[in-house]
Amino acid sequence: MTDKTTARVLLVDDEVNFVKALSARLKMRDLRVNTSTTREDAFSKVERQEYDAIVMDISSPDSITSLETTRRLKKIDPTIPIIALTPYGCIEISAKALKVGVSDFLQKPVQVGKLVQKIAAATLHRRKTGKRKSSSPVLPQIMPSFS
């Protein structure tokens, strides 16, 4: 039997309905998803739980800027991959976000298949290199099988 260990993902966005919808779609792909609708809640969760990747909106109107959020998340876990969701045409913030530690980008509206591929790549890289806060047992099988 194939191991069904899946990636643990934290989804961070201030739009509650978006978080609910995207979380449900990622869970349908067998990902383990936790959500945060505030940056402070995200910090708290990353301090308490280990994640394979963070998917984060970088245009939230929350009191802490997206760049500062990225810096703080990287202080908690320096190797955590952060996949930023950006609105169309947000090139300047995207370039700055890369400098502070964002790993990858995806434009909104999100194509779930592309997001799952980015999460899979980030998770595999993180687990293969062993760069985590603590050791993780098994490589994930997070891409759906098409048998």
Side-chain angles (χ1 to χ4, degrees):
M1 178 173 259
T2 306
D3 178 30
K4 288 290 188 182
T5 302
T6 60
R8 182 177 303 277
V9 178
L10 179 61
L11 175 59
V12 184
D13 196 303
D14 66 315
E15 297 177 34
V16 176
N17 291 333
F18 175 78
V19 167
K20 287 180 183 177
L22 184 56
S23 175
R25 294 191 69 193
L26 292 174
K27 287 176 182 178
M28 287 173 31
R29 304 281 182 109
D30 293 327
L31 297 172
R32 294 180 293 169
V33 181
N34 287 356
T35 62
S36 292
T37 55
T38 68
R39 309 290 186 182
E40 291 300 330
D41 183 53
F43 300 143
S44 176
K45 286 182 177 175
V46 172
E47 286 171 348
R48 291 188 327 261
Q49 172 88 41
E50 185 155 324
Y51 292 94
D52 295 303
I54 296 172
V55 176
M56 180 178 80
D57 176 31
I58 63 167
S59 63
S60 294
D62 181 310
S63 62
I64 302 171
T65 69
S66 300
L67 299 177
E68 182 57 28
T69 300
T70 302
R71 283 187 196 100
R72 285 184 60 186
L73 289 168
K74 288 293 192 170
K75 281 184 182 177
I76 298 168
D77 185 349
T79 64
I80 186 81
I82 299 175
I83 301 166
L85 305 180
T86 64
Y88 177 77
C90 199
I91 295 169
E92 185 178 334
I93 188 77
S94 298
K96 290 178 182 178
L98 278 172
K99 290 179 183 178
V100 297
V102 166
S103 310
D104 207 343
F105 293 91
L106 194 60
Q107 277 188 348
K108 286 183 172 183
V110 174
Q111 293 180 4
V112 176
K114 284 186 179 181
L115 179 56
V116 169
Q117 289 175 346
K118 289 178 181 288
I119 292 168
T123 299
L124 286 171
H125 176 74
R126 183 165 160 96
R127 291 185 179 184
K128 281 182 181 177
T129 61
K131 294 181 178 178
R132 298 168 58 88
K133 287 194 292 188
S134 63
S135 60
S136 177
V138 184
L139 283 174
Q141 180 186 14
I142 64 174
M143 295 299 291
S145 61
F146 297 102
S147 47

